[in-house]
Amino acid sequence: MGWGFLGAGHIATANLGPAVRSVATAELRAAAGRTPHRTAALGATSSSTDYAAVLSDESVDIVYIALHNSVHVDWTVRALRAGKHVLCEKPLGVSAAEVRAMIEAAAAADRLLVEATWNRWHPRTLDLAELLHQGVLGEIQHVEAAFDGAEPDVRNYRRHATLGGGALLDVGCYAVGAILAAYDWAIPEITAVRRQTWPGSAADVRTAADLRFGESTANVVASLTGTGREVLKLSGTAGTVRLDSPFTAGRGPVELQVESRQGFAVRQYEPVDPYALMVTEMTRAVAGDKAAFLVPLDQSLAVAETLDAIRAFQIE
């Protein structure tokens, strides 16, 4: 299956490029990026600075979009209209309106559109979803989720709101997604928000919010200060789950701790490459395998709607 890349930044070169090269059924046919030497380093059959050339390449079946957030919607829609299936970096769009436009374009083109929220393919994340489905924790009462990512350079798009930057969009999508998964993807009421921006920028360096799902609650913290703090704790009427490194699990061993009426148990997971799992499943799905796991678009939309609501909340 032929892959084409738009963008040759760190995630593309360090994670998705190696993942495609490691999957026997995938081949990186074309890549385009602003920096020729980094684009060439991806090892595609052809490389250039021309994004449109990737979309017109008949050997490309799947386009992976790793551009800054503000242009996700434009290049996703263009790729879909060119007849390509699309794996787009998170956040899928910078607003729910953009995500809806992308979903409509995918339906019109009869092509797959998937958000590359890579941790969703990790076996531990899939096991947690199954635990929730089985009701092992009973009724969820509270979820705590926090993700503090690396502090970006002042020139990085993450510090610029006009490019879709800010902590909430960059790492908040992971934490909010984990919360919504615990509550079966319901849209919460936002009850409080605390926000801090970088000096001279409208982009948030830290956003914290309190969420309510009926009588149940959650709190989320998204920040880009470089401490590396990650928290995910789910508390229910019948048990509690804790995850170490919940949003960066992958090449190191991780655990899932479950305390329930059946007692205390620790599930251990050997190192895996969730990016390779994501590429494998996307390739399988495009080949027609209905059993392939993909992040559902209604879940991506639920995350976008919740991020919209947090950003729109009027802080007194």
Side-chain angles (χ1 to χ4, degrees):
M1 194 69 65
W3 284 70
F5 279 29
L6 301 187
H10 176 74
I11 295 177
T13 56
N15 298 305
L16 258 294
V20 171
R21 292 195 296 271
S22 73
V23 175
T25 54
E27 183 178 348
L28 185 49
R29 300 278 175 77
R34 294 179 301 171
T35 309
H37 74 273
R38 289 201 308 190
T39 307
L42 285 166
T45 304
S46 65
S47 62
S48 71
T49 58
D50 186 358
Y51 299 154
V54 175
L55 305 190
S56 62
D57 190 326
E58 294 184 357
S59 71
V60 170
D61 305 291
I62 304 167
V63 170
Y64 166 63
I65 296 175
L67 305 171
H68 59 73
N69 299 337
S70 65
V71 297
H72 283 184
V73 63
D74 180 31
W75 284 103
T76 292
V77 170
R78 291 177 68 169
L80 291 166
R81 289 175 176 170
K84 310 301 184 185
H85 303 277
V86 175
L87 177 68
C88 180
E89 261 307 323
K90 58 78 197 169
L92 191 56
V94 299
S95 67
E98 286 194 355
V99 173
R100 291 188 192 96
M102 297 158 86
I103 292 172
E104 291 173 3
D110 192 25
R111 290 294 182 267
L112 290 175
L113 169 62
V114 180
E115 184 176 24
T117 311
W118 64 274
N119 72 313
R120 293 289 303 278
W121 280 267
H122 194 286
R124 182 178 62 172
T125 308
L126 298 174
D127 282 355
L128 177 57
E130 182 60 24
L131 286 174
L132 291 167
H133 177 71
Q134 293 173 355
V136 171
L137 304 183
E139 182 180 350
I140 300 299
Q141 297 176 310
H142 183 71
V143 179
E144 179 184 359
F147 189 1
D148 184 46
E151 183 178 2
D153 182 87
V154 68
R155 296 165 295 181
N156 190 282
Y157 79 88
R158 292 172 179 83
R159 283 189 180 244
H160 301 277
T162 56
L163 297 179
L168 189 63
L169 283 174
D170 188 54
V171 295
C173 56
Y174 291 109
V176 166
I179 291 170
L180 298 191
Y183 288 110
D184 199 24
W185 302 100
I187 305 299
E189 174 192 0
I190 312 302
T191 58
V193 172
R194 299 160 295 283
R195 185 181 298 113
Q196 178 185 352
T197 60
W198 275 289
S201 172
D204 61 309
V205 62
R206 184 181 188 275
T207 294
D210 298 333
L211 288 60
R212 179 169 293 280
F213 299 81
E215 296 302 313
S216 300
T217 59
N219 63 275
V220 59
V221 179
S223 54
L224 293 174
T225 66
T227 68
R229 179 175 181 260
E230 295 182 44
V231 176
L232 182 58
K233 178 182 177 182
L234 288 69
S235 302
T237 54
T240 301
V241 163
R242 292 179 178 86
L243 278 68
D244 62 317
S245 303
F247 309 117
T248 57
R251 295 183 174 88
V254 291
E255 295 182 347
L256 185 154
Q257 300 178 4
V258 184
E259 185 174 357
S260 67
R261 290 167 179 163
Q262 287 73 45
F264 181 77
V266 178
R267 299 187 185 185
Q268 298 181 331
Y269 300 82
E270 294 300 314
V272 297
D273 183 357
Y275 292 96
L277 298 176
M278 179 169 63
V279 169
T280 297
E281 295 299 287
M282 184 74 182
T283 302
R284 286 177 57 200
V286 170
D289 188 341
K290 301 297 184 183
F293 171 74
L294 301 177
V295 174
L297 285 171
D298 61 341
Q299 296 178 6
S300 294
L301 179 58
V303 172
E305 290 176 340
T306 304
L307 295 177
D308 274 2
I310 293 172
R311 289 190 296 172
F313 187 88
Q314 295 298 312
I315 301 175
E316 297 181 358

